[in-house]
Amino acid sequence: MLPADCSRRLVAELRDALDACAERQRQLERSLRVSRRLLRTWEPAETPAPQPTPAPETSGEAPSPESTPSSQDLKELELLTQALEKAVRVRKGISKTGERHKALSLKSGSAATSATTASAPSRPSGQASCRVSETKPPRGIQQTVVPARGLPESRLLSVGDHTRMGRGSRATKPGPGPRDQQIPPSAALQAPEAFTLKEKGADVDCWLPQPLWKPCSGLEGGSPQSAASLSTGFPDRILLRLPMAYRKAASRNSRLWAQLSSAQTSDSMDAAATAKTQFLQKMQMTSGGPGSGLSAAAVEAEVGLLRTACLLLRRRMEEVLSADPADCMQEYRCLLTLEGLQAITEQCLHRLQELRAVGGQQLGPWPVGRRPGASLPCGGGTDPLWSPQLLLYSSTQELQTLEALRLRLAMLDQQIHLEKVLMAELLPLVGTQGPHWLALCRAVHSLLCEGGERFLTVLRDEPAD
Amino acid sequence: MGRRRRRVDRGAAVGALPEAIAALSRTLPAGPSPEIFRRAKFDRPEAAPALWQLLFRVLSPLSADGASASPAQEAQVRAVKSELRSQGYPRRALAQLPEDGSQGSRELLLALAWLLARGPLLERLLAQTRVRLGDEIPLCECEALARPGPPVPRVEADGPVDIRHLQWLMGKLRFQWRKLITSQQEQCALLGKIHSYTRGCHSDRSLGHLSVAETELLRDAEGGQQLLRRLESENVCLEAALRWRRQELVFWRWMDTVLGTCPPEASQPTFVPRIPERGAGEWELVARELQALQEELRGAAEPRRAAWEARVGGWGPEWSAVQRASREAVGLELAALQRAWERGGAAAQPHGPCRLVKSDAGASGGPGLRAAQVIEVLRSREACLEAVLCQLQRQCRQELARLAGALPGLIWILPPGR
């Protein structure tokens, strides 16, 4: 058994570490819930009862059709897909004007390539698509036939317009397309359909019929909705568009942040800065508090810097010691470096002593719940970027590697901290021999030297009589 | 003529102050009205509670949800006092204010001005509560560490525990990390899917696809309205902050007058040491590390110096020029090294949260960091940390071997290596 105060401290440290981990897990679970929900089929806000089987949960990849689509439908769909690909290729060549067209053709180009790759598995995707649309069997045929007649385009109208179409409705009619595309009202849904995010190119099905046919006034650039929609190089997939109000607010937000972070230097700022320093000085002079000027927070910060310094110095020392000097010059430089490092270390120690004299009683173990990292802390004092910069990744594996590394760093941080704390508390106990010393020794060895994962064995070496 | 102009100027100045204060309090969380500020100048007691609450909101780190119930008045007062003291607030009058929060509005006003003058308080507060529109990933952990999580009510084990309990806790911790990593991998896969499915949907070309928040906005109209409202209120705060920036000079002039109305405090020559709330800790650890480092350096440098002197003893004067050049070069290197930690090394590492954007590998030259580079940086940091951990474990092993060697008649069989 460990002494009481030691136990208390150690248990508190380990519980802190567990809490920190649990907090991360909680946040991660929250994000996971949101992401999973987004990849399932989006149920409309009010799901009226008469609807038969709700759209099955799926990420949209594994086809498991509840009702087998007819082979006729599948064939039609395949033909349609091929026709679309060809049309897109043709149109890509034609439409080169305009930034919007260029943008769309880029999309359609990529959609075309993904369509070509998807044409091979078009059968399963066709099945999947039919499955989604066949949640309403009587209309299923309708839905697969209508695309065959025309071009399922689309742009969903922004959600901001949903007030006009009824709450929760997400369906909009594809704008372009021949005017005779209008769905016969009998086939129109009275309630909004479910929607699934899908991969591009495979979603001729992600086309939502809607009760009202709206000419897409919300389209970017407001291009004319002519029957020759092909001329604009449409993308053959759903494009979700963010509501206008949101876009405006978001752009205003980023503009304001940029203004705020750039407003650091200007004439009025300088005048204000001098006024501030004058105020601080006056305050210091008229007050009766400690005049040393070093607060506990500042002392802690400096001690943190010295810890960083120790790390960096040690790293440089190991570099020098592991390098093999090739000639005299390099040997001399190694020697000088080592001596220089020694001098700096002494300076740091000196500074540490000074800090102790100034505010020694204010330092202590990390307050519960807050732990400075053992790895290099970033200088928060320098100009931080208030709005986030972009981090571009190219594949899921890359993102996973990145995140795994981040977590590993946090874990190592925690392990190093725990190691230091355990060393400080447990090694003195091993030094004093008490009852059950062997068991204690073995346990301490495993905790400190193997991270608690492996144990050593102790054999009593009895001399053979 | 001149008098009228002066009056007009003063009139303009008089109007500018309430405007400036209004802009300030619009930016702050729980900002009181300019009237409260005016009353505080004259130390009116009715202004005190609002200012206590304001300081509490400003100084206490935000919980993750931001919706924790504010504690009782006394607890707020105590928290504000201790935080100000730890940050080095010079005036002692604040510490002497009663804990029921009924007095001291002028002192609180001075404290607020002190906080504002010292650093970018407003920007920092706004950045903490910023509406996150993209999928963000923090590149350095400093923000996560600076903000403690919500305190977890815990049943303290007061008695002595067996070391096996510690082993069990360590095992639990290891297992939790493993679970965390697998959950994280799943989240990355889902993010990747969402990003690629929504490619082309964002109006901002540099982003190219929607983030989870934006897709959620489309899926759930009500949640979207909430997000929009938060965004708009943040815009209002940001505009107020910009207004404040333009007008803050008036405020500082006024604060000078407020300070003038305070009687100066009697300076105390003796330094009253704070009652230590916590024992020795971090200082000891750093001191020990530095001392160990110093020992190692001495052990490495001295023999080399001796060997060198023995070799070089008889070399000629042309050597001294070369020596001088080497000394200068090494001096520069070490100075750069010293700058690295004195400045905090912020420029060397990417700092702060980044918005994740999935783009094709060929996209180069645009703004933003590349994941590949960041991975390199993180890997080198990982190697560094692993080296530190290995070194600590080696130290422990040596120490334990030394202690165990004192007892003869035992054979220690180490576990098989990795």
Side-chain angles (χ1 to χ4, degrees), chain A residues 170 237 346 393 408, chain B residues 195 197 199 219 294 386:
Chain A
R170 259 163 217 85
R237 63 177 183 84
E346 280 172 15
Y393 71 97
R408 180 133 173 84
Chain B
H195 288 178
Y197 289 177
R199 194 162 31 205
R219 183 196 80 94
Q294 193 187 30
E386 275 180 353

Side-chain angles (χ1 to χ4, degrees), chain A residues 119-135:
Chain A
S119 62
S122 68
R123 183 167 293 266
S125 66
Q127 280 183 353
S129 65
C130 288
R131 181 191 25 138
V132 168
S133 34
E134 297 224 334
T135 54

Side-chain angles (χ1 to χ4, degrees), chain B residues 208-379:
Chain B
H209 61 75
L210 302 179
S211 68
V212 167
E214 289 161 343
T215 320
E216 183 72 17
L217 166 75
L218 288 173
R219 183 196 80 94
D220 174 21
E222 278 170 53
Q225 290 298 326
Q226 254 182 32
L227 182 67
L228 192 57
R229 271 195 296 272
R230 277 173 56 207
L231 201 54
E232 283 171 353
S233 79
E234 181 175 300
N235 285 348
V236 170
C237 283
L238 286 173
E239 283 170 346
L242 285 170
R243 268 201 317 274
W244 159 254
R245 278 278 186 74
R246 286 193 294 269
Q247 298 173 324
E248 59 176 322
L249 198 53
V250 170
F251 176 79
W252 293 114
R253 293 207 189 113
W254 180 68
M255 281 311 299
D256 273 340
T257 66
V258 173
L259 195 54
T261 65
C262 281
E265 296 187 337
S267 69
Q268 210 174 34
T270 57
F271 169 68
V272 181
R274 264 183 39 184
I275 304 177
E277 295 157 5
R278 334 164 204 171
E282 182 177 351
W283 189 93
E284 297 288 344
L285 282 178
V286 177
R288 213 177 308 163
E289 283 179 27
L290 278 175
Q291 275 163 356
L293 184 64
Q294 193 187 30
E295 288 302 321
E296 284 182 48
L297 279 169
R298 191 178 313 162
E302 278 178 3
R304 284 184 188 218
R305 168 58 73 174
W308 181 258
E309 294 294 327
R311 272 176 64 183
V312 172
W315 290 21
E318 71 278 1
W319 184 239
S320 65
V322 177
Q323 274 184 322
R324 203 173 31 244
S326 306
R327 262 204 297 275
E328 279 169 17
V330 168
L332 286 175
E333 271 178 30
L334 290 177
L337 183 66
Q338 223 166 345
R339 267 198 304 277
W341 75 74
E342 274 164 15
R343 201 189 34 189
Q349 303 155 26
H351 176 76
C354 289
R355 177 170 176 159
L356 283 173
V357 169
K358 184 164 188 174
S359 75
D360 301 323
S364 61
L369 304 165
R370 300 284 176 276
Q373 293 169 338
V374 177
I375 289 180
E376 285 308 314
V377 171
L378 290 182
R379 272 203 225 276

Side-chain angles (χ1 to χ4, degrees), chain A residues 298-341:
Chain A
V299 170
E300 246 180 83
E302 264 211 66
V303 172
L305 281 183
L306 288 174
R307 193 180 50 230
T308 315
C310 190
L311 258 161
L312 286 173
L313 290 168
R314 178 171 285 281
R315 215 202 287 178
R316 180 58 68 90
M317 176 185 79
E318 282 170 6
E319 279 171 23
V320 168
L321 288 180
S322 60
D324 232 357
D327 61 5
C328 281
M329 281 314 308
Q330 288 191 3
E331 246 185 79
Y332 189 55
R333 285 180 79 137
C334 285
L335 174 62
L336 286 179
T337 313
L338 285 174
E339 291 182 334
L341 290 175

Side-chain angles (χ1 to χ4, degrees), chain B residues 141-207:
Chain B
E141 297 286 311
C142 53
E143 206 186 87
L145 293 168
R147 195 189 327 170
V152 176
R154 192 186 295 158
V155 177
E156 284 296 348
D158 269 337
V161 300
D162 195 286
I163 196 163
R164 279 173 292 184
H165 185 65
L166 293 181
Q167 289 173 329
W168 177 71
L169 286 174
M170 283 284 270
K172 200 167 154 190
L173 187 62
R174 252 196 342 268
F175 180 66
Q176 276 205 346
W177 274 110
R178 235 178 282 163
K179 210 167 56 156
L180 191 62
I181 291 181
T182 40
S183 308
Q184 181 68 271
Q185 301 291 76
E186 186 190 344
Q187 165 72 347
C188 290
L190 295 182
L191 263 187
K193 270 194 205 157
I194 292 180
H195 288 178
S196 58
Y197 289 177
T198 57
R199 194 162 31 205
C201 295
H202 206 289
S203 47
D204 184 348
R205 292 271 173 257
S206 64
L207 295 174

